[in-house]
Amino acid sequence: MSLRVDEFRVEGVDSEHDEDHRCVREPPAAANLFRMATGTQKLLPRKRTTHAAMERPNIVWITLDSVRADHTTLDGYHRETTPELERIGQGGHAFRNCIAHSLSTLPSTGAMMSGYPPSRNTVGVDGNQLPDSITTMPERFSDAGYATACLSRNSYLSSATGLDRGFDRFQWLSSSTLHEAGLRPLLSYALNLRSHSAGLSTDTAKHSSAYLMNEVAKEWLADFRRDEDPFFFYLHYNEPHRPYYPPRKYLDTFSEGLSMSGTEAAEFALDVHYNLEDIVANGCQLSDDEWAALEAMYDAEVAYTDEMVGRLFDHVQSMRGRDTIVVVTADHGELFGEYGLLSHSYVLHDAVTRVPMVIHGLDDDLAVDGDDTIQHLDVFRTLLNVAGGDPGDTIGFDLREQTREFAVSQRGPTSFEELLAHNPSFDTSRFHTETLTALRTPEFKYQRSSEKEELFALPDEDADVSSEYPQQRTALDETLDDWMDRHGQPVGAAQEGEFSDAVTRQLRDLGYME
Protein backbone atom coordinates (compact mmCIF):
# COMPACT_ATOMS: atom_id res chain seq x y z
CA MET A 1 0.00 0.00 0.00
CA SER A 2 1.13 3.54 -0.72
CA LEU A 3 -0.34 6.81 0.48
CA ARG A 4 -1.92 8.95 -2.18
CA VAL A 5 -0.96 12.55 -1.50
CA ASP A 6 -1.88 14.00 -4.89
CA GLU A 7 -4.86 16.05 -3.86
CA PHE A 8 -4.54 16.16 -0.05
CA ARG A 9 -6.70 13.02 -0.03
CA VAL A 10 -5.71 10.84 2.92
CA GLU A 11 -6.95 7.41 1.90
CA GLY A 12 -4.61 4.51 1.13
CA VAL A 13 -4.51 3.43 -2.49
CA ASP A 14 -3.27 0.06 -3.59
CA SER A 15 -0.84 0.22 -6.51
CA GLU A 16 -3.04 -2.17 -8.48
CA HIS A 17 -6.15 0.06 -8.06
CA ASP A 18 -8.33 -2.58 -6.37
CA GLU A 19 -12.07 -2.02 -6.22
CA ASP A 20 -11.99 -1.54 -2.46
CA HIS A 21 -8.90 0.59 -1.99
CA ARG A 22 -9.94 3.56 0.03
CA CYS A 23 -9.20 2.73 3.66
CA VAL A 24 -8.25 5.77 5.73
CA ARG A 25 -4.61 6.33 6.68
CA GLU A 26 -2.78 9.06 8.53
CA PRO A 27 -2.17 12.00 6.17
CA PRO A 28 1.37 12.92 5.13
CA ALA A 29 3.05 15.88 6.75
CA ALA A 30 2.27 18.24 3.90
CA ALA A 31 -1.42 17.44 4.02
CA ASN A 32 -1.49 17.88 7.81
CA LEU A 33 0.25 21.22 7.51
CA PHE A 34 -2.18 22.30 4.82
CA ARG A 35 -5.16 21.46 7.01
CA MET A 36 -3.69 23.24 10.02
CA ALA A 37 -3.08 26.31 7.85
CA THR A 38 -6.50 26.39 6.23
CA GLY A 39 -8.72 24.79 8.85
CA THR A 40 -9.74 22.06 6.43
CA GLN A 41 -11.16 18.98 8.12
CA LYS A 42 -10.07 15.46 7.19
CA LEU A 43 -12.05 14.51 4.09
CA LEU A 44 -13.36 10.99 3.66
CA PRO A 45 -14.07 9.63 0.19
CA ARG A 46 -17.62 9.90 -1.03
CA LYS A 47 -19.59 6.75 -1.61
CA ARG A 48 -19.37 5.31 -5.09
CA THR A 49 -22.50 4.16 -6.84
CA THR A 50 -21.56 1.02 -8.74
CA HIS A 51 -21.87 1.38 -12.50
CA ALA A 52 -24.89 -0.61 -13.61
CA ALA A 53 -24.19 -3.82 -15.48
CA MET A 54 -24.43 -2.85 -19.11
CA GLU A 55 -22.90 -3.34 -22.50
CA ARG A 56 -19.70 -1.33 -22.68
CA PRO A 57 -20.45 2.06 -24.24
CA ASN A 58 -18.90 3.78 -27.22
CA ILE A 59 -16.93 6.91 -26.34
CA VAL A 60 -16.73 10.10 -28.39
CA TRP A 61 -14.29 12.68 -26.99
CA ILE A 62 -14.40 16.15 -28.57
CA THR A 63 -11.62 18.60 -27.76
CA LEU A 64 -12.03 22.22 -28.84
CA ASP A 65 -8.98 24.46 -29.16
CA SER A 66 -8.50 27.60 -27.06
CA VAL A 67 -11.88 27.85 -25.26
CA ARG A 68 -11.66 29.58 -21.90
CA ALA A 69 -14.39 28.63 -19.46
CA ASP A 70 -15.47 32.16 -18.60
CA HIS A 71 -16.46 32.83 -22.22
CA THR A 72 -19.03 30.04 -22.20
CA THR A 73 -22.74 29.99 -21.39
CA LEU A 74 -21.95 27.20 -18.93
CA ASP A 75 -19.96 29.66 -16.83
CA GLY A 76 -22.56 32.44 -16.90
CA TYR A 77 -20.96 34.50 -19.67
CA HIS A 78 -22.99 37.52 -20.76
CA ARG A 79 -23.13 36.26 -24.37
CA GLU A 80 -24.86 33.05 -25.37
CA THR A 81 -21.78 31.47 -26.89
CA THR A 82 -22.32 27.81 -26.00
CA PRO A 83 -26.02 26.90 -25.77
CA GLU A 84 -25.27 23.48 -27.25
CA LEU A 85 -22.67 22.68 -24.62
CA GLU A 86 -25.16 23.79 -22.00
CA ARG A 87 -27.81 21.49 -23.51
CA ILE A 88 -25.40 18.54 -23.57
CA GLY A 89 -24.37 19.24 -19.99
CA GLN A 90 -27.94 19.55 -18.75
CA GLY A 91 -28.56 16.02 -19.94
CA GLY A 92 -25.42 14.77 -18.23
CA HIS A 93 -22.67 16.38 -16.19
CA ALA A 94 -21.21 19.88 -16.57
CA PHE A 95 -18.12 21.13 -14.72
CA ARG A 96 -17.10 24.74 -14.17
CA ASN A 97 -13.64 24.03 -12.78
CA CYS A 98 -11.92 21.67 -15.19
CA ILE A 99 -8.24 22.60 -15.06
CA ALA A 100 -6.14 21.76 -18.11
CA HIS A 101 -2.78 20.09 -17.61
CA SER A 102 -1.01 22.83 -19.55
CA LEU A 103 -1.42 26.09 -21.47
CA SER A 104 -1.19 24.99 -25.10
CA THR A 105 -2.06 22.10 -27.39
CA LEU A 106 1.20 20.12 -27.43
CA PRO A 107 1.71 19.64 -23.65
CA SER A 108 -2.01 19.53 -22.88
CA THR A 109 -2.75 16.88 -25.49
CA GLY A 110 0.46 15.09 -24.57
CA ALA A 111 -0.92 14.71 -21.05
CA MET A 112 -4.30 13.46 -22.29
CA MET A 113 -2.82 10.95 -24.72
CA SER A 114 -0.18 9.64 -22.30
CA GLY A 115 -2.00 9.71 -18.97
CA TYR A 116 0.95 11.51 -17.41
CA PRO A 117 1.54 15.19 -16.60
CA PRO A 118 3.84 17.18 -18.92
CA SER A 119 7.00 16.96 -16.82
CA ARG A 120 6.64 13.17 -16.69
CA ASN A 121 5.75 12.46 -20.33
CA THR A 122 8.23 15.23 -21.39
CA VAL A 123 6.09 16.39 -24.37
CA GLY A 124 6.18 20.16 -24.61
CA VAL A 125 8.62 20.40 -21.71
CA ASP A 126 11.91 18.75 -22.71
CA GLY A 127 10.90 17.29 -26.07
CA ASN A 128 8.24 17.46 -28.75
CA GLN A 129 7.60 13.75 -29.34
CA LEU A 130 6.02 11.17 -27.04
CA PRO A 131 8.65 8.74 -25.69
CA ASP A 132 8.32 5.23 -27.10
CA SER A 133 8.20 3.70 -23.62
CA ILE A 134 4.80 5.23 -22.78
CA THR A 135 1.61 3.24 -23.27
CA THR A 136 -0.88 5.71 -24.74
CA MET A 137 -4.51 6.14 -23.76
CA PRO A 138 -5.75 4.85 -27.16
CA GLU A 139 -3.53 1.80 -26.69
CA ARG A 140 -5.19 1.20 -23.33
CA PHE A 141 -8.64 1.42 -24.94
CA SER A 142 -7.47 -0.90 -27.69
CA ASP A 143 -6.22 -3.42 -25.13
CA ALA A 144 -9.73 -3.31 -23.62
CA GLY A 145 -11.21 -4.37 -26.96
CA TYR A 146 -12.14 -0.97 -28.37
CA ALA A 147 -11.70 0.19 -31.94
CA THR A 148 -9.84 3.50 -31.75
CA ALA A 149 -9.81 6.47 -34.10
CA CYS A 150 -8.72 10.09 -34.11
CA LEU A 151 -9.58 13.00 -36.38
CA SER A 152 -7.27 15.97 -35.75
CA ARG A 153 -7.08 19.49 -37.12
CA ASN A 154 -3.97 20.45 -35.16
CA SER A 155 -0.45 19.53 -36.25
CA TYR A 156 0.61 18.91 -32.68
CA LEU A 157 -1.77 15.95 -32.59
CA SER A 158 -0.21 14.04 -35.46
CA SER A 159 2.47 11.51 -36.32
CA ALA A 160 5.04 14.31 -36.03
CA THR A 161 4.69 14.25 -32.23
CA GLY A 162 3.88 10.57 -31.82
CA LEU A 163 0.52 11.46 -30.28
CA ASP A 164 -1.23 9.44 -32.99
CA ARG A 165 0.19 6.22 -31.57
CA GLY A 166 -2.39 3.61 -30.65
CA PHE A 167 -5.19 4.80 -32.92
CA ASP A 168 -6.35 2.16 -35.39
CA ARG A 169 -7.48 4.93 -37.70
CA PHE A 170 -5.98 8.40 -37.74
CA GLN A 171 -6.36 11.43 -39.98
CA TRP A 172 -4.68 14.81 -39.66
CA LEU A 173 -6.65 17.36 -41.67
CA SER A 174 -4.76 20.32 -43.09
CA SER A 175 -4.64 22.24 -46.37
CA SER A 176 -2.10 19.68 -47.60
CA THR A 177 -4.16 16.62 -46.62
CA LEU A 178 -7.70 17.75 -47.50
CA HIS A 179 -7.76 15.37 -50.45
CA GLU A 180 -7.70 12.51 -47.94
CA ALA A 181 -10.93 13.62 -46.29
CA GLY A 182 -13.09 11.74 -48.79
CA LEU A 183 -15.14 12.82 -51.80
CA ARG A 184 -18.53 13.25 -50.13
CA PRO A 185 -17.26 15.35 -47.17
CA LEU A 186 -15.19 17.53 -49.51
CA LEU A 187 -18.09 18.14 -51.90
CA SER A 188 -20.39 19.03 -49.01
CA TYR A 189 -17.75 21.38 -47.57
CA ALA A 190 -17.20 23.05 -50.95
CA LEU A 191 -20.93 23.65 -51.37
CA ASN A 192 -21.07 25.26 -47.91
CA LEU A 193 -17.92 27.41 -48.03
CA ARG A 194 -19.90 30.64 -48.02
CA SER A 195 -21.93 29.86 -44.91
CA HIS A 196 -19.48 27.67 -42.99
CA SER A 197 -16.18 29.29 -43.92
CA ALA A 198 -14.71 32.33 -45.68
CA GLY A 199 -16.08 31.67 -49.16
CA LEU A 200 -13.56 31.47 -51.98
CA SER A 201 -10.74 33.25 -50.13
CA THR A 202 -7.28 31.80 -50.79
CA ASP A 203 -6.09 32.88 -47.34
CA THR A 204 -6.10 29.59 -45.41
CA ALA A 205 -6.00 31.45 -42.09
CA LYS A 206 -9.55 32.72 -42.74
CA HIS A 207 -11.12 29.32 -43.28
CA SER A 208 -13.02 27.34 -40.65
CA SER A 209 -12.97 23.57 -40.69
CA ALA A 210 -15.55 22.46 -38.12
CA TYR A 211 -18.13 21.68 -40.82
CA LEU A 212 -15.62 19.48 -42.66
CA MET A 213 -14.66 17.79 -39.39
CA ASN A 214 -18.32 16.92 -38.84
CA GLU A 215 -18.77 15.53 -42.33
CA VAL A 216 -15.71 13.29 -42.04
CA ALA A 217 -16.71 12.24 -38.53
CA LYS A 218 -20.16 11.14 -39.73
CA GLU A 219 -18.53 8.93 -42.37
CA TRP A 220 -16.31 7.32 -39.76
CA LEU A 221 -19.22 6.84 -37.35
CA ALA A 222 -21.08 4.98 -40.09
CA ASP A 223 -18.06 2.71 -40.46
CA PHE A 224 -17.96 2.06 -36.71
CA ARG A 225 -21.57 0.86 -36.78
CA ARG A 226 -20.54 -2.03 -39.04
CA ASP A 227 -18.19 -3.34 -36.35
CA GLU A 228 -19.37 -5.25 -33.30
CA ASP A 229 -16.66 -3.77 -31.07
CA PRO A 230 -17.24 -0.58 -29.08
CA PHE A 231 -15.23 2.42 -30.26
CA PHE A 232 -13.22 5.26 -28.78
CA PHE A 233 -13.30 8.23 -31.16
CA TYR A 234 -11.19 11.31 -30.32
CA LEU A 235 -11.74 14.53 -32.29
CA HIS A 236 -9.67 17.71 -32.05
CA TYR A 237 -11.36 20.75 -33.59
CA ASN A 238 -9.04 23.67 -34.28
CA GLU A 239 -11.64 26.36 -33.65
CA PRO A 240 -11.70 28.90 -32.07
CA HIS A 241 -7.88 29.04 -32.17
CA ARG A 242 -6.61 32.36 -33.48
CA PRO A 243 -6.94 34.05 -35.88
CA TYR A 244 -10.50 34.75 -34.81
CA TYR A 245 -12.07 34.81 -38.25
CA PRO A 246 -15.58 33.33 -37.93
CA PRO A 247 -17.54 31.95 -40.90
CA ARG A 248 -19.43 34.55 -42.90
CA LYS A 249 -22.80 33.75 -41.35
CA TYR A 250 -21.34 34.41 -37.88
CA LEU A 251 -19.49 37.65 -38.63
CA ASP A 252 -22.26 39.82 -37.19
CA THR A 253 -23.42 37.52 -34.41
CA PHE A 254 -21.91 39.75 -31.72
CA SER A 255 -21.14 42.88 -33.75
CA GLU A 256 -23.91 44.99 -32.19
CA GLY A 257 -22.36 47.87 -30.30
CA LEU A 258 -19.01 47.62 -32.07
CA SER A 259 -17.52 50.66 -33.75
CA MET A 260 -16.85 48.56 -36.86
CA SER A 261 -18.73 45.99 -38.92
CA GLY A 262 -18.32 42.26 -38.36
CA THR A 263 -16.19 41.99 -41.48
CA GLU A 264 -13.97 44.86 -40.35
CA ALA A 265 -13.67 43.30 -36.89
CA ALA A 266 -12.61 39.97 -38.41
CA GLU A 267 -9.98 41.70 -40.54
CA PHE A 268 -8.75 43.52 -37.44
CA ALA A 269 -8.52 40.19 -35.56
CA LEU A 270 -6.54 38.77 -38.48
CA ASP A 271 -4.17 41.74 -38.33
CA VAL A 272 -3.69 41.17 -34.58
CA HIS A 273 -2.90 37.53 -35.32
CA TYR A 274 -0.20 38.40 -37.84
CA ASN A 275 1.33 41.10 -35.60
CA LEU A 276 0.76 39.53 -32.20
CA GLU A 277 4.37 39.53 -30.98
CA ASP A 278 4.81 43.19 -31.83
CA ILE A 279 1.52 44.12 -30.15
CA VAL A 280 2.33 42.20 -26.96
CA ALA A 281 5.94 43.43 -26.85
CA ASN A 282 4.67 46.99 -26.89
CA GLY A 283 2.14 46.62 -24.13
CA CYS A 284 -1.06 45.52 -25.92
CA GLN A 285 -2.00 49.12 -26.56
CA LEU A 286 -5.46 48.38 -27.97
CA SER A 287 -8.33 50.78 -27.61
CA ASP A 288 -11.55 49.76 -25.87
CA ASP A 289 -13.21 49.45 -29.28
CA GLU A 290 -10.42 47.21 -30.55
CA TRP A 291 -10.58 44.95 -27.48
CA ALA A 292 -14.34 44.69 -27.95
CA ALA A 293 -13.94 43.77 -31.62
CA LEU A 294 -11.29 41.15 -30.85
CA GLU A 295 -13.39 39.44 -28.17
CA ALA A 296 -16.53 39.63 -30.31
CA MET A 297 -14.79 37.71 -33.09
CA TYR A 298 -13.44 35.15 -30.64
CA ASP A 299 -16.91 34.70 -29.15
CA ALA A 300 -18.40 34.31 -32.63
CA GLU A 301 -15.89 31.55 -33.36
CA VAL A 302 -16.81 29.85 -30.09
CA ALA A 303 -20.51 30.11 -30.94
CA TYR A 304 -20.03 28.66 -34.42
CA THR A 305 -17.99 25.74 -33.12
CA ASP A 306 -20.63 25.17 -30.45
CA GLU A 307 -23.24 24.86 -33.20
CA MET A 308 -21.13 22.26 -34.99
CA VAL A 309 -20.62 20.30 -31.77
CA GLY A 310 -24.37 20.29 -31.22
CA ARG A 311 -24.94 18.94 -34.71
CA LEU A 312 -22.43 16.13 -34.25
CA PHE A 313 -23.86 15.32 -30.84
CA ASP A 314 -27.35 14.99 -32.31
CA HIS A 315 -25.98 12.73 -35.04
CA VAL A 316 -24.34 10.50 -32.43
CA GLN A 317 -27.57 10.40 -30.43
CA SER A 318 -29.50 9.29 -33.51
CA MET A 319 -27.28 6.23 -33.98
CA ARG A 320 -28.84 2.92 -33.03
CA GLY A 321 -26.99 0.27 -31.09
CA ARG A 322 -24.97 0.51 -27.94
CA ASP A 323 -24.98 3.62 -25.76
CA THR A 324 -22.40 6.32 -26.38
CA ILE A 325 -20.67 8.57 -23.85
CA VAL A 326 -19.88 12.00 -25.31
CA VAL A 327 -17.25 14.27 -23.74
CA VAL A 328 -16.73 17.88 -24.84
CA THR A 329 -13.91 20.00 -23.44
CA ALA A 330 -11.01 22.26 -24.52
CA ASP A 331 -7.29 21.67 -24.45
CA HIS A 332 -6.64 25.13 -23.01
CA GLY A 333 -8.07 28.64 -22.89
CA GLU A 334 -6.98 32.03 -24.22
CA LEU A 335 -5.52 35.29 -22.91
CA PHE A 336 -7.15 38.67 -23.51
CA GLY A 337 -4.82 41.10 -21.79
CA GLU A 338 -4.08 39.16 -18.61
CA TYR A 339 -0.46 39.97 -17.69
CA GLY A 340 -0.43 42.14 -20.82
CA LEU A 341 -0.56 39.05 -23.04
CA LEU A 342 -2.60 37.57 -25.87
CA SER A 343 -3.06 34.01 -27.16
CA HIS A 344 -1.88 31.21 -24.82
CA SER A 345 1.81 31.49 -24.07
CA TYR A 346 4.12 32.07 -21.11
CA VAL A 347 1.73 31.88 -18.10
CA LEU A 348 -0.52 29.43 -16.25
CA HIS A 349 -3.27 31.94 -15.55
CA ASP A 350 -6.83 30.61 -15.17
CA ALA A 351 -7.62 32.27 -18.50
CA VAL A 352 -5.59 29.53 -20.19
CA THR A 353 -6.02 26.63 -17.75
CA ARG A 354 -9.72 26.73 -16.74
CA VAL A 355 -11.74 25.14 -19.54
CA PRO A 356 -15.28 23.82 -20.11
CA MET A 357 -16.09 20.14 -19.57
CA VAL A 358 -19.36 18.31 -20.19
CA ILE A 359 -20.01 14.57 -20.13
CA HIS A 360 -23.18 13.02 -21.54
CA GLY A 361 -24.13 9.36 -21.26
CA LEU A 362 -22.21 8.53 -18.09
CA ASP A 363 -25.22 7.60 -15.99
CA ASP A 364 -23.41 6.59 -12.81
CA ASP A 365 -23.67 8.77 -9.74
CA LEU A 366 -20.49 10.80 -9.37
CA ALA A 367 -18.53 11.74 -6.28
CA VAL A 368 -18.08 15.23 -7.73
CA ASP A 369 -20.47 18.01 -8.57
CA GLY A 370 -20.33 20.83 -11.11
CA ASP A 371 -18.29 23.18 -8.94
CA ASP A 372 -15.65 20.66 -7.88
CA THR A 373 -12.16 20.75 -9.34
CA ILE A 374 -11.43 18.08 -11.95
CA GLN A 375 -8.80 17.52 -14.65
CA HIS A 376 -8.88 15.83 -18.03
CA LEU A 377 -7.09 12.72 -16.79
CA ASP A 378 -9.77 12.20 -14.13
CA VAL A 379 -12.27 11.82 -16.96
CA PHE A 380 -9.94 9.53 -18.89
CA ARG A 381 -9.42 7.27 -15.86
CA THR A 382 -13.18 7.13 -15.28
CA LEU A 383 -13.87 6.20 -18.90
CA LEU A 384 -11.11 3.59 -18.96
CA ASN A 385 -12.63 1.97 -15.89
CA VAL A 386 -16.09 2.05 -17.47
CA ALA A 387 -14.59 0.47 -20.59
CA GLY A 388 -12.99 -2.30 -18.58
CA GLY A 389 -9.51 -1.03 -19.36
CA ASP A 390 -6.43 -0.81 -17.19
CA PRO A 391 -5.39 2.75 -16.26
CA GLY A 392 -2.09 1.42 -14.91
CA ASP A 393 0.00 4.11 -13.24
CA THR A 394 -1.61 7.01 -15.09
CA ILE A 395 -2.68 9.89 -12.88
CA GLY A 396 -6.26 10.95 -12.30
CA PHE A 397 -9.20 9.94 -10.12
CA ASP A 398 -12.28 7.94 -11.03
CA LEU A 399 -14.99 10.61 -10.78
CA ARG A 400 -17.40 8.01 -9.42
CA GLU A 401 -15.16 7.39 -6.42
CA GLN A 402 -13.08 10.38 -5.44
CA THR A 403 -12.77 14.13 -5.39
CA ARG A 404 -9.55 16.07 -5.71
CA GLU A 405 -8.36 18.90 -3.50
CA PHE A 406 -6.08 20.51 -6.05
CA ALA A 407 -5.13 20.51 -9.71
CA VAL A 408 -1.68 20.78 -11.25
CA SER A 409 -0.77 22.51 -14.52
CA GLN A 410 2.68 22.75 -16.06
CA ARG A 411 4.54 24.69 -18.72
CA GLY A 412 7.94 23.94 -20.20
CA PRO A 413 10.85 26.39 -20.44
CA THR A 414 10.12 29.45 -22.54
CA SER A 415 11.99 32.28 -24.21
CA PHE A 416 11.10 35.91 -24.68
CA GLU A 417 13.45 36.46 -27.61
CA GLU A 418 10.63 37.17 -30.08
CA LEU A 419 9.11 39.83 -27.83
CA LEU A 420 12.49 41.37 -27.05
CA ALA A 421 13.28 41.52 -30.77
CA HIS A 422 10.25 43.79 -31.17
CA ASN A 423 10.93 45.75 -28.00
CA PRO A 424 14.28 45.35 -26.17
CA SER A 425 12.77 47.08 -23.12
CA PHE A 426 9.94 44.53 -22.69
CA ASP A 427 9.83 43.71 -18.98
CA THR A 428 10.29 39.96 -18.46
CA SER A 429 10.88 40.18 -14.70
CA ARG A 430 7.36 39.16 -13.71
CA PHE A 431 7.51 35.95 -15.77
CA HIS A 432 9.18 32.57 -15.37
CA THR A 433 11.52 31.28 -18.08
CA GLU A 434 12.26 27.84 -16.60
CA THR A 435 9.78 24.95 -16.31
CA LEU A 436 6.79 26.21 -14.34
CA THR A 437 4.36 24.19 -12.21
CA ALA A 438 1.16 25.61 -10.72
CA LEU A 439 -0.82 23.93 -7.95
CA ARG A 440 -4.38 25.25 -7.78
CA THR A 441 -6.89 24.83 -4.96
CA PRO A 442 -10.31 26.54 -4.90
CA GLU A 443 -8.77 29.33 -2.81
CA PHE A 444 -5.15 29.62 -3.90
CA LYS A 445 -2.78 29.12 -6.79
CA TYR A 446 0.82 28.38 -5.88
CA GLN A 447 3.32 28.33 -8.72
CA ARG A 448 7.05 27.87 -8.79
CA SER A 449 10.01 27.34 -11.05
CA SER A 450 13.71 27.11 -10.30
CA GLU A 451 13.75 30.92 -10.41
CA LYS A 452 11.04 31.88 -7.93
CA GLU A 453 7.68 30.99 -6.43
CA GLU A 454 4.41 32.92 -6.02
CA LEU A 455 1.13 32.51 -4.15
CA PHE A 456 -2.10 34.03 -5.44
CA ALA A 457 -5.40 34.35 -3.57
CA LEU A 458 -7.92 33.49 -6.29
CA PRO A 459 -9.49 34.93 -8.31
CA ASP A 460 -6.69 37.54 -8.23
CA GLU A 461 -3.54 36.36 -10.00
CA ASP A 462 -1.58 39.60 -9.89
CA ALA A 463 -0.54 40.14 -6.26
CA ASP A 464 1.83 37.66 -4.62
CA VAL A 465 0.34 37.06 -1.15
CA SER A 466 3.06 34.74 0.16
CA SER A 467 3.90 37.09 3.03
CA GLU A 468 0.25 37.35 4.03
CA TYR A 469 -0.36 33.59 4.05
CA PRO A 470 2.97 32.01 5.06
CA GLN A 471 1.41 28.81 6.41
CA GLN A 472 -0.57 28.20 3.23
CA ARG A 473 2.51 28.89 1.13
CA THR A 474 4.58 26.39 3.13
CA ALA A 475 1.84 23.78 3.00
CA LEU A 476 1.36 24.10 -0.73
CA ASP A 477 5.11 24.09 -1.35
CA GLU A 478 5.54 20.83 0.56
CA THR A 479 2.51 19.29 -1.12
CA LEU A 480 3.95 20.20 -4.52
CA ASP A 481 7.21 18.53 -3.47
CA ASP A 482 5.27 15.36 -2.71
CA TRP A 483 3.41 15.54 -6.02
CA MET A 484 6.58 16.11 -8.03
CA ASP A 485 8.31 13.18 -6.35
CA ARG A 486 5.37 10.90 -7.10
CA HIS A 487 4.21 12.10 -10.51
CA GLY A 488 6.48 14.79 -11.90
CA GLN A 489 9.71 13.00 -12.73
CA PRO A 490 10.40 12.24 -16.44
CA VAL A 491 9.86 8.68 -17.65
CA GLY A 492 13.20 8.84 -19.42
CA ALA A 493 15.04 10.82 -22.04
CA ALA A 494 12.94 13.27 -24.02
CA GLN A 495 12.49 12.69 -27.75
CA GLU A 496 12.52 15.12 -30.65
CA GLY A 497 10.43 14.54 -33.77
CA GLU A 498 10.94 15.87 -37.26
CA PHE A 499 8.23 18.20 -38.53
CA SER A 500 7.39 18.01 -42.22
CA ASP A 501 6.91 21.13 -44.33
CA ALA A 502 3.13 20.63 -44.14
CA VAL A 503 3.17 20.43 -40.34
CA THR A 504 5.46 23.46 -40.08
CA ARG A 505 3.23 25.42 -42.45
CA GLN A 506 0.11 24.80 -40.36
CA LEU A 507 1.92 25.63 -37.12
CA ARG A 508 3.05 28.87 -38.74
CA ASP A 509 -0.54 29.66 -39.77
CA LEU A 510 -1.60 29.15 -36.14
CA GLY A 511 1.13 31.46 -34.86
CA TYR A 512 3.29 28.80 -33.18
CA MET A 513 6.24 29.43 -35.48
CA GLU A 514 7.69 32.44 -37.23
Side-chain angles (χ1 to χ4, degrees):
M1 300 288 289
S2 58
L3 284 177
R4 196 181 193 101
V5 300
D6 305 31
E7 277 62 52
F8 305 140
R9 178 67 56 190
V10 298
E11 65 271 21
V13 178
D14 190 87
S15 61
E16 295 301 318
H17 298 286
D18 293 338
E19 272 295 304
D20 186 15
H21 60 244
R22 294 177 293 118
C23 51
V24 176
R25 294 284 188 264
E26 284 301 311
N32 266 334
L33 183 54
F34 174 80
R35 288 192 175 88
M36 287 189 292
T38 62
T40 304
Q41 298 300 310
K42 184 189 297 183
L43 296 176
L44 298 178
R46 301 182 188 179
K47 181 180 179 181
R48 167 180 173 179
T49 300
T50 303
H51 192 273
M54 59 174 287
E55 188 177 36
R56 291 184 301 164
N58 301 317
I59 298 168
V60 175
W61 182 299
I62 299 170
T63 295
L64 310 179
D65 205 309
S66 309
V67 180
R68 52 188 283 172
D70 62 358
H71 273 245
T72 67
T73 310
L74 292 164
D75 203 55
Y77 190 48
H78 67 92
R79 286 175 172 150
E80 195 175 53
T81 52
T82 58
E84 294 300 314
L85 283 189
E86 186 172 46
R87 173 171 68 96
I88 296 168
Q90 285 173 346
H93 307 282
F95 299 94
R96 296 181 63 252
N97 291 301
C98 179
I99 307 302
H101 296 279
S102 194
L103 79 172
S104 59
T105 298
L106 180 59
S108 181
T109 306
M112 287 191 276
M113 292 298 103
S114 70
Y116 300 139
S119 64
R120 181 159 178 75
N121 70 55
T122 73
V123 177
V125 176
D126 298 315
N128 62 18
Q129 189 176 68
L130 190 68
D132 296 333
S133 61
I134 292 177
T135 301
T136 66
M137 284 297 189
E139 286 174 328
R140 294 181 187 277
F141 277 107
S142 182
D143 289 343
Y146 273 65
T148 59
C150 176
L151 190 58
S152 170
R153 265 290 288 137
N154 192 297
S155 303
Y156 280 135
L157 177 51
S158 70
S159 59
T161 58
L163 297 180
D164 65 329
R165 196 170 76 237
F167 287 110
D168 301 325
R169 187 175 186 179
F170 183 91
Q171 177 66 60
W172 167 55
L173 288 178
S174 71
S175 58
S176 63
T177 65
L178 281 183
H179 62 283
E180 300 175 15
L183 181 59
R184 193 202 63 80
L186 283 175
L187 284 175
S188 182
Y189 182 52
L191 291 172
N192 286 276
L193 273 176
R194 289 181 62 84
S195 57
H196 285 275
S197 196
L200 299 178
S201 173
T202 58
D203 188 343
T204 57
K206 291 183 178 181
H207 283 286
S208 300
S209 58
Y211 182 89
L212 179 61
M213 286 280 292
N214 275 13
E215 293 303 294
V216 176
K218 286 188 285 188
E219 298 256 302
W220 288 22
L221 288 166
D223 292 340
F224 292 140
R225 292 177 62 181
R226 301 185 184 101
D227 195 331
E228 293 183 357
D229 292 332
F231 63 80
F232 168 66
F233 189 13
Y234 187 93
L235 302 97
H236 186 109
Y237 288 71
N238 217 39
E239 287 78 19
H241 194 289
R242 69 180 178 94
Y244 318 130
Y245 206 100
R248 292 172 60 153
K249 70 175 183 177
Y250 270 80
L251 284 171
D252 290 313
T253 300
F254 300 121
S255 64
E256 184 177 355
L258 298 183
S259 63
M260 58 188 86
S261 69
T263 300
E264 291 170 333
E267 291 295 331
F268 171 72
L270 190 63
D271 183 69
V272 170
H273 170 70
Y274 286 133
N275 296 282
L276 187 135
E277 286 77 17
D278 183 61
I279 291 170
V280 170
N282 289 285
C284 282
Q285 300 297 315
L286 303 181
S287 69
D288 290 344
D289 287 343
E290 289 171 334
W291 279 117
L294 194 63
E295 293 198 43
M297 293 301 99
Y298 171 78
D299 291 343
E301 282 251 49
V302 173
Y304 169 67
T305 309
D306 178 72
E307 179 194 342
M308 293 297 100
V309 168
R311 288 190 183 192
L312 185 62
F313 172 77
D314 288 341
H315 181 83
V316 170
Q317 293 297 102
S318 71
M319 294 170 56
R320 296 179 180 179
R322 70 177 71 231
D323 293 338
T324 300
I325 294 174
V326 178
V327 176
V328 188
T329 187
D331 55 350
H332 57 81
E334 193 79 338
L335 294 159
F336 284 102
E338 292 85 0
Y339 293 160
L341 300 173
L342 291 166
S343 190
H344 43 269
S345 300
Y346 305 117
V347 298
L348 292 173
H349 191 282
D350 267 14
V352 291
T353 58
R354 194 168 72 88
V355 297
M357 168 64 77
V358 297
I359 308 171
H360 186 279
L362 179 63
D363 296 328
D364 296 50
D365 291 335
L366 302 185
V368 293
D369 60 36
D371 290 324
D372 284 334
T373 299
I374 68 168
Q375 294 203 263
H376 290 124
L377 288 179
D378 298 332
V379 183
F380 264 109
R381 174 174 284 274
T382 305
L383 296 181
L384 266 173
N385 285 338
V386 169
D390 177 16
D393 64 346
T394 61
I395 66 169
F397 289 156
D398 190 320
L399 297 175
R400 302 168 300 170
E401 296 180 342
Q402 294 173 274
T403 60
R404 62 167 57 242
E405 296 301 315
F406 65 80
V408 175
S409 303
Q410 296 183 298
R411 186 222 68 197
T414 192
S415 168
F416 294 90
E417 289 181 5
E418 291 181 2
L419 299 181
L420 292 170
H422 288 278
N423 179 9
S425 349
F426 179 78
D427 183 10
T428 64
S429 62
R430 72 175 304 176
F431 302 108
H432 298 251
T433 56
E434 300 301 320
T435 298
L436 177 64
T437 301
L439 186 154
R440 185 192 188 280
T441 74
E443 297 82 20
F444 294 99
K445 180 178 288 186
Y446 175 70
Q447 62 179 27
R448 77 181 190 199
S449 65
S450 61
E451 301 160 290
K452 59 183 177 180
E453 56 279 328
E454 298 155 306
L455 179 67
F456 302 119
L458 298 174
D460 178 73
E461 295 187 55
D462 289 315
D464 183 356
V465 296
S466 298
S467 60
E468 299 172 45
Y469 299 95
Q471 288 182 302
Q472 285 87 344
R473 181 212 166 277
T474 300
L476 293 171
D477 185 67
E478 294 192 9
T479 302
L480 184 53
D481 281 341
D482 290 334
W483 186 92
M484 288 295 297
D485 287 344
R486 183 175 292 273
H487 300 298
Q489 302 308 308
V491 296
Q495 293 181 197
E496 294 289 336
E498 293 186 9
F499 288 1
S500 67
D501 291 343
V503 168
T504 301
R505 184 163 54 251
Q506 194 200 43
L507 292 176
R508 188 176 294 116
D509 283 347
L510 295 174
Y512 286 116
M513 294 182 174
E514 286 294 309

